Amino acid sequence: MIGTVTTGSSFYHCISYCLEDKQKLTADEKIENELTEDLQHKNRAEVLAYNYCFGNKQELADQFHEVARLSKRVQQPVLHLSLRLAPGEKLDREQLVAMGKTLADTFGVGDHQYLTILHKDTREQHIHLVANRVGYDGKAVSTSNNYFEMDQLCRRLEKEYHLREVLSARRFLSQEQRQIPRHDIRKEQLRHDLQETLQKVSDYEALQKQMQQLGYKIIRGRGICFLDDKKVKIKGSEVGFSLATIEKILALKQQLQEKQLQKIAAALQPKQQRQAMDLSATRQKIEQSTHSSANIKDWENAAEKEINRSIGQLQKTLNHLLYDLTKPEPVQESINPELLKESERLKKKQRHLHM
């Protein structure tokens, strides 16, 4: 389970994001995606619970704002929380409502205005909670230790609902636990998308366009990093595709494609010469054959099949080369155990010298 915590100043924008469909999809695209992905893109949001609030997005924002005015010191009264289950996990509506109540109580807004929303347009089931940090007494809940509280809550909910238990964020782990290799779904997805894209494109502009279609924004400087649709930034080197590696792959692909074109041209040239000779001979027989047009058509079909077969073999060979070429560089996920042992021996030696 993954949890997020953000604060803000605009109730209307936060509530609108949670209640509305994604704006980047047209009505036809939403229907098409629902049929192909088995997800609900149209009317994706379902309100699971209203707490001291009601109405549409404008009415909700006005009600939240009126209470927030009770505190003149709070500049960011919006508390936006979310919980996302691991792929394949699913809870029923009653469990999600209870989880939302636990979420609100944990962050001290159980008796404040809030609403819990379920989104149905992603494969991973997830809920959002928009709450007013300011209560009816004019006091606002603290935002200190929010990330630690969310981390601890996720671990507790995983046990309570028998969900997949995962490691906490690295900053909340012990030194030994930080050395355990982690399975990062975002990085795995980016690595897969990059490898698939690099097999299709041969220049940087095409790479950028294809990755944008997959929902990534590319930031290129001395290195390269990718910003996904959740605004999570991942360096290319973290998934085995540094800028130098990508540039090398694209350069080699262009060289391979040039060689492929040369081989195709060389393969087609003698066939075209034979075609001209055979066509000339065939034309000479036109007057003698009542089926001349059928004979010419049969010959042209046979010649086309032979050319396509030759091109197919070259393309297959090229695809094998590209697959090997676009494999990511190995990424070191954890520290070498031998280095850890050596570090421990040095610490013991230092303690012994100070005694």
Side-chain angles (χ1 to χ4, degrees):
M1 178 183 291
I2 299 174
T4 63
V5 184
T6 58
T7 57
S9 58
S10 174
F11 286 109
Y12 180 80
H13 287 96
C14 186
I15 294 173
S16 295
Y17 166 77
C18 291
L19 293 182
E20 293 178 350
D21 295 340
K22 289 183 178 178
Q23 301 298 316
K24 64 180 182 179
L25 295 177
T26 65
D28 291 338
E29 288 175 334
K30 291 174 184 176
I31 295 174
E32 182 180 352
N33 289 345
E34 286 179 4
L35 295 174
T36 57
E37 300 175 0
D38 194 27
L39 299 173
Q40 186 172 325
H41 291 275
K42 187 175 178 60
N43 300 322
R44 65 165 182 158
E46 177 187 349
V47 179
L48 300 177
Y50 292 96
N51 198 63
Y52 299 116
C53 58
F54 60 89
N56 58 36
K57 60 183 181 181
Q58 186 62 63
E59 293 170 335
L60 289 165
D62 291 342
Q63 293 166 29
F64 278 57
H65 182 66
E66 284 298 317
V67 176
R69 291 174 60 186
L70 296 174
S71 174
K72 297 181 179 180
R73 298 176 58 186
V74 179
Q75 300 298 316
Q76 293 187 317
V78 182
L79 180 63
H80 182 196
L81 311 171
S82 72
L83 291 173
R84 181 181 295 266
L85 275 59
E89 295 182 333
K90 193 174 183 64
L91 298 177
D92 59 35
R93 192 179 190 282
E94 184 178 348
Q95 290 173 313
L96 292 173
V97 171
M99 185 177 286
K101 182 67 168 65
T102 302
L103 184 61
D105 291 340
T106 300
F107 284 85
V109 293
D111 56 352
H112 291 205
Q113 294 167 312
Y114 73 80
L115 65 155
T116 309
I117 306 104
L118 168 66
H119 278 174
K120 304 177 181 180
D121 61 335
T122 59
R123 297 193 182 281
E124 297 85 20
Q125 195 177 45
H126 69 285
I127 61 172
H128 291 262
L129 187 142
V130 182
N132 196 338
R133 287 182 54 213
V134 180
Y136 288 101
D137 57 359
K139 297 180 180 179
V141 296
S142 172
T143 58
S144 62
N145 296 322
N146 271 354
Y147 298 114
F148 179 73
E149 289 180 358
M150 177 61 80
D151 183 88
Q152 297 300 300
L153 174 63
C154 287
R155 305 292 82 79
R156 191 165 69 250
L157 291 174
E158 287 166 356
K159 289 184 172 64
E160 181 179 347
Y161 291 95
H162 307 289
L163 302 172
R164 187 183 309 170
E165 296 185 29
V166 300
L167 286 174
S168 297
R170 289 188 183 275
R171 68 179 116 172
F172 304 133
L173 296 176
S174 64
Q175 188 65 30
E176 290 75 19
Q177 289 176 318
R178 292 180 185 180
Q179 312 312 320
I180 300 175
R182 305 171 71 96
H183 178 69
D184 193 318
I185 297 175
R186 291 184 185 277
K187 290 182 180 180
E188 288 293 331
Q189 186 63 48
L190 175 59
R191 183 183 291 113
H192 174 269
D193 290 340
L194 268 173
Q195 187 169 6
E196 290 287 320
T197 300
L198 285 168
Q199 291 181 29
K200 299 175 183 177
V201 303
S202 56
D203 59 71
Y204 181 79
E205 288 73 18
L207 170 71
Q208 190 173 35
K209 183 178 180 180
Q210 181 65 26
M211 292 302 289
Q212 285 177 348
Q213 292 177 354
L214 294 173
Y216 296 97
K217 179 182 178 181
I218 297 180
I219 303 174
R220 183 180 179 182
R222 295 178 62 184
I224 191 169
C225 58
F226 300 85
L227 201 67
D228 66 12
D229 57 351
K230 299 299 181 183
K231 308 302 180 184
V232 177
K233 185 187 294 185
I234 303 174
K235 294 181 180 178
S237 57
E238 294 178 2
V239 294
F241 288 105
S242 63
L243 179 59
T245 300
I246 291 174
E247 290 177 341
K248 181 179 178 182
I249 290 172
L250 294 176
L252 289 174
K253 281 200 67 177
Q254 290 177 358
Q255 294 177 14
L256 285 172
Q257 287 186 349
E258 289 176 2
K259 291 181 179 180
Q260 181 196 28
L261 291 174
Q262 292 172 2
K263 288 182 179 180
I264 292 174
L268 290 178
Q269 187 174 4
K271 293 181 182 296
Q272 290 172 344
Q273 293 173 353
R274 290 197 299 271
Q275 179 181 1
M277 293 173 61
D278 292 343
L279 185 58
S280 177
T282 303
R283 284 174 177 171
Q284 293 176 3
K285 297 179 181 180
I286 287 178
E287 297 178 356
Q288 304 173 0
S289 175
T290 56
H291 304 286
S292 57
S293 59
N295 293 337
I296 293 173
K297 186 174 181 181
D298 291 342
W299 178 88
E300 288 177 343
N301 289 337
E304 184 179 357
K305 287 181 181 179
E306 177 63 21
I307 292 171
N308 289 336
R309 186 187 67 81
S310 178
I311 294 174
Q313 288 178 343
L314 289 171
Q315 186 64 50
K316 186 176 181 181
T317 302
L318 180 64
N319 288 340
H320 285 301
L321 289 172
L322 293 180
Y323 179 78
D324 293 334
L325 180 66
T326 56
K327 286 182 179 178
E329 295 177 339
V331 179
Q332 184 70 25
E333 296 288 350
S334 60
I335 298 176
N336 189 329
E338 294 299 325
L339 294 177
L340 292 176
K341 292 180 182 179
E342 180 64 23
S343 175
E344 188 62 29
R345 283 197 293 269
L346 290 174
K347 289 180 181 178
K348 288 182 179 180
K349 185 176 180 180
Q350 290 176 353
R351 287 197 296 267
H352 180 72
L353 291 175
H354 289 296
M355 291 179 61

